Amino acid sequence: MSSTPLRHTALDALHRSLGATMTDFAGWDMPLRYGSERDEHNAVRTRAGLFDLSHMGEITVTGPEAAQLLNYALVGNIASVGAGRARYTMICRADGGILDDLIVYRLGETEYMVVANASNAQVVLDALVERSAGFDAEVRDDRDAYALIAVQGPESPGILKSLTDADLDGLKYYAGLPGTVAGVPALIARTGYTGEDGFELFVKPEHAVELWQALTKAGEGVGLVPCGLSCRDTLRLEAGMPLYGHELSTYLTPFDAGLGRVVKFEKEGDFVGRTALEAAAERAASQPPRVLVGLVAEGRRVPRAGYAVVAGGEVIGEVTSGAPSPTLGKPIAMAYVDAAHAAPGTPGVGVDIRGSHEPYEVVALPFYKRQK
């Protein structure tokens, strides 16, 4: 049985020199942690953390009809995104099922960068190429053209300011601007996935090590630490941010996931999935399906994806993500539960953990919101 060899980012040797525990993530050999997951998590919440996100999938869409193509291929109104801004959106199947959630950056008048999850990058690329038929636009696979480094946490603006003269103060959330960081040309974005302020730096792979080392040096005095995928997951979970394959899948529409706001029916022209999504919107308005909620443990046992949520001896939902929360000091989970049990404070809700029904409190998402 032949297995595809793992892909390595431009920072692979550096991660190993730092003693990282590596793991297979979506076909990439990625750092899971460097030391303590809890310490890495807390560093991002209180100081700053440095992440290698080079496994994410960049796809460039250019040409006179690039905006029209993206409006047709995706559920959002991409034509209304201003130059230098970004938008969170989704790509759906004709039946409304979510193929992936995406961030789309408008880099210029007729140039866009679509950033897909690593596990779905090929699927998204194939769908965009297929949907580009008839449009005067080109879809280009740029996954090998970029390394992606993120610096996240309250100290991140100061760290980055010491290395660039780009206007970081003027860079809004969900925006990106070209600049130079530590002498390296970069697209500087502000679209974090941790619940904290922070920046993502898209650079050429050959500049990745130099940039990582410059950021490490700049962050030495304020407690910056390298961070792996493990704490990225607990950070996004506390922030109530969905993860594809957990809260999002082809079995769910954006309305099922409580993210119907990303679907823009008012935009001009047809788009893939419109008819099915209109029906899903009506269903959600009249009789909501299961609702995505937060669960906080009363005990110490950690819920995992796939565990049943129970009430009154009946299964009322399923956990999609669960982990110990370093910030709350208790296990937490996101779960889809029947609408009748979705209100915060609903009594009698538990999680079936290996046959034992552990009590959980239903709470509104997110679990954690940073102080602005």
Side-chain angles (χ1 to χ4, degrees):
M1 195 173 95
S2 70
S3 61
T4 312
L6 291 179
R7 299 182 70 180
H8 298 275
T9 77
L11 293 161
D12 183 73
L14 194 149
H15 297 316
R16 291 168 195 281
S17 74
L18 292 171
T21 299
M22 306 297 285
T23 188
D24 174 358
F25 184 80
W28 290 81
D29 206 9
M30 297 297 294
L32 186 64
R33 71 182 79 81
Y34 298 84
S36 153
E37 292 163 15
R38 179 180 293 270
D39 289 350
E40 290 173 25
H41 179 110
N42 290 334
V44 175
R45 286 275 177 260
T46 59
R47 302 184 306 277
L50 193 58
F51 295 85
D52 179 8
L53 304 181
S54 303
H55 60 308
M56 300 294 282
E58 296 87 6
I59 301 162
T60 304
V61 180
T62 55
E65 293 185 339
Q68 292 94 313
L69 161 58
L70 290 169
N71 260 15
Y72 169 71
L74 311 180
V75 300
N77 188 353
I78 308 305
S80 68
V81 178
R85 296 308 303 263
R87 184 155 297 166
Y88 176 79
T89 187
M90 294 183 184
I91 182 167
C92 289
R93 302 193 306 192
D95 66 2
I98 303 165
L99 283 173
D100 201 13
D101 62 334
L102 310 165
I103 296 177
V104 179
Y105 297 89
R106 186 171 186 179
L107 302 181
E109 189 58 37
T110 60
E111 184 178 5
Y112 296 81
M113 181 168 68
V114 177
V115 181
N117 285 297
S119 55
N120 297 329
Q122 191 63 48
V123 169
V124 174
L125 177 68
D126 292 346
L128 287 174
V129 168
E130 186 184 320
R131 295 173 189 189
S132 68
F135 290 94
D136 186 2
E138 181 201 349
V139 177
R140 188 173 72 233
D141 180 0
D142 269 348
R143 283 176 287 180
D144 292 335
Y146 292 101
L148 177 56
I149 296 172
V151 55
Q152 296 279 306
E155 297 287 355
S156 57
I159 292 168
L160 204 55
K161 276 179 188 174
S162 72
L163 297 174
T164 183
D165 55 8
D167 179 18
L168 298 184
D169 291 334
L171 184 65
K172 297 183 173 72
Y173 188 50
Y174 268 75
L177 86 168
T180 303
V181 181
V184 170
L187 170 67
I188 306 167
R190 202 171 201 164
T191 50
Y193 190 60
T194 60
E196 298 300 334
D197 192 11
F199 303 88
E200 297 74 44
L201 308 170
F202 294 87
V203 299
K204 287 182 176 174
E206 56 265 33
H207 293 148
V209 170
E210 175 188 348
L211 180 58
W212 180 282
Q213 289 172 336
L215 287 161
T216 299
K217 195 167 180 3
E220 267 173 5
V222 291
L224 174 87
V225 300
C227 292
L229 292 177
S230 187
C231 84
R232 187 166 182 252
D233 193 48
T234 52
L235 289 159
R236 70 92 196 165
L237 178 55
E238 288 184 351
M241 294 175 168
L243 176 64
Y244 195 89
H246 290 258
E247 289 72 41
L248 309 174
S249 76
T250 50
Y251 301 108
L252 297 168
T253 73
F255 294 94
D256 296 325
L259 291 165
R261 64 182 179 276
V262 307
V263 182
K264 303 300 181 189
F265 293 118
E266 69 276 13
K267 65 179 174 177
E268 279 183 33
D270 194 16
F271 63 91
V272 176
R274 178 191 272 274
T275 305
L277 290 168
E278 284 172 341
E282 279 182 36
R283 281 197 308 275
S286 61
Q287 186 191 359
R290 285 183 166 177
V291 178
L292 189 64
V293 301
L295 299 174
V296 177
E298 292 179 20
R300 311 301 307 167
R301 298 186 72 184
V302 179
R304 298 297 181 193
Y307 285 11
V309 182
V310 292
E314 301 290 318
V315 174
I316 57 150
E318 185 175 302
V319 170
T320 53
S321 296
S325 164
T327 305
L328 275 64
K330 299 175 179 178
I332 59 171
M334 285 201 273
Y336 282 108
V337 302
D338 294 344
H341 298 273
T346 299
V349 173
V351 175
D352 185 342
I353 300 181
R354 298 194 182 91
S356 168
H357 289 191
E358 301 287 329
Y360 274 73
E361 182 189 357
V362 179
V363 299
L365 293 168
F367 300 96
Y368 167 86
K369 219 173 199 163
R370 72 182 166 100
Q371 304 303 309
K372 296 285 188 236

